[in-house]
């Protein structure tokens, strides 16, 4: 998983330009990390595959040749897994075809690896679905809420069926509340698409994030 840059902390109340500058800084840091991973990790893996292939081609001992080929397969499998992880950082692979609920479930493996917890889900894909832009914004809001947190021991996500043309996404966790910059970023992302966002909750009963998602009318 690509490590994210820790959030900037500030005691002052952030303004909209402050939040945008922080957002751009985080985006550039993530792009730099992805570029470094592609150059260092993926580039080195491909070089190792090429070298191993040359060695296997010149190897006369059958057992050693099989071992060289097994090493090529192992390196290739690791490289494909790393590429999938990088792709998930750039864009959740399930969001376009399977929707928001599937994308959040797909993200659970990364949360498990980070905090050692198994998230609880009560997710029902809205029918009809929200637009692609709104689903992606909702997914990013969950990421933006969770990634600054140092540790969690409980995490629950709920996505209720659509009622009155609106689906509701809730995130519950037992970690810290968003800092000022993170809260400003969350509200800016929601405001950009006109989404109703509520941030609250100092107990496990109250959601840390509650988002209303307007769904599209079915044809």
């Amino acid at each position: 998983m690509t490590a994210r840059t820790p959030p900037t902390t500030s005691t002052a109340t952030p303004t909209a330009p402050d939040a945008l500058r922080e957002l751009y800084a985080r985006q550039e840091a993530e792009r730099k990390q992805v570029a470094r991973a592609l150059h260092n990790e993926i580039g080195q893996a491909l070089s190792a595959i090429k070298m191993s292939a040359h060695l296997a081609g010149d190897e006369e001992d059958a057992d050693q040749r099989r071992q060289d080929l097994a090493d090529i397969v192992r390196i290739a499998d690791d490289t494909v897994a790393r590429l999938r992880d990088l792709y998930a950082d750039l864009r959740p692979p399930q969001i376009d075809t399977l929707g928001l609920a599937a994308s959040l479930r797909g993200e659970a493996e990364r949360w498990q690896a980070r905090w050692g917890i198994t998230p609880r889900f009560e997710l029902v894909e809205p029918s009809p679905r929200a637009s692609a832009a709104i689903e992606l914004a909702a997914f990013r809001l969950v990421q933006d809420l969770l990634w600054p947190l140092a540790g969690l021991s409980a995490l629950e996500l709920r996505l209720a069926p659509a009622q009155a043309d609106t689906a509701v996404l809730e995130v519950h966790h037992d970690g810290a509340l968003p800092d000022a910059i993170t809260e400003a970023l969350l509200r800016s992302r929601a405001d950009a698409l006109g989404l109703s966002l509520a941030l609250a909750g100092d107990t496990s009963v109250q959601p840390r994030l509650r988002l209303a998602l307007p769904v599209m009318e079915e044809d």
Side-chain angles (χ1 to χ4, degrees):
M1 176 179 177
T2 302
R4 290 175 177 261
T5 303
T8 301
T9 58
S10 173
T11 56
T13 301
T15 64
D18 290 335
L20 286 175
R21 281 192 292 269
E22 176 68 12
L23 176 60
Y24 296 149
R26 291 185 185 184
Q27 289 175 338
E28 288 304 319
E30 290 177 2
R31 288 169 182 161
K32 183 177 180 179
Q33 289 163 349
V34 170
R36 184 183 298 117
L38 289 173
H39 180 270
N40 295 344
E41 300 176 37
I42 306 303
Q44 290 177 6
L46 292 175
S47 296
I49 289 173
K50 183 178 179 180
M51 183 179 299
S52 297
H54 283 303
L55 291 174
D58 296 335
E59 182 59 62
E60 296 181 357
D61 182 87
D63 289 338
Q64 184 58 53
R65 186 164 57 251
R66 281 193 293 270
Q67 182 60 52
D68 291 342
L69 292 173
D71 289 341
I72 292 173
V73 172
R74 176 184 56 78
I75 298 172
D77 286 343
D78 291 344
T79 304
V80 169
R82 188 68 179 104
L83 283 171
R84 286 175 177 165
D85 199 40
L86 290 171
Y87 179 60
D89 273 340
L90 297 173
R91 185 177 180 87
Q94 303 97 336
I95 197 79
D96 295 318
T97 55
L98 301 180
L100 177 59
S103 297
L104 293 172
R105 288 192 181 94
E107 191 76 355
E109 184 175 328
R110 292 147 63 88
W111 297 330
Q112 289 171 334
R114 181 179 180 188
W115 293 306
I117 63 173
T118 300
R120 292 183 58 192
F121 294 108
E122 295 180 13
L123 303 176
V124 178
E125 197 71 66
S127 180
R129 288 171 53 179
S131 69
I134 287 176
E135 286 188 337
L136 182 59
F139 182 87
R140 295 301 187 202
L141 281 164
V142 175
Q143 283 188 321
D144 291 344
L145 175 75
L146 297 179
W147 79 259
L149 300 176
L152 291 181
S153 59
L155 173 62
E156 183 175 351
L157 288 89
R158 302 172 185 170
L159 180 59
Q163 295 183 356
D165 300 327
T166 301
V168 175
L169 172 65
E170 291 184 352
V171 179
H172 298 252
H173 66 74
D174 62 350
L177 294 173
D179 57 64
I181 282 289
T182 299
E183 181 173 346
L185 290 175
L186 292 168
R187 295 195 184 281
S188 295
R189 191 186 290 277
D191 290 345
L193 289 174
L195 300 178
S196 175
L197 172 68
L199 297 171
D202 53 7
T203 71
S204 60
V205 177
Q206 297 174 300
R208 294 299 172 89
L209 178 149
R210 189 177 191 275
L211 185 67
L213 305 174
V215 298
M216 299 181 295
E217 294 184 1
E218 291 181 302
D219 293 335

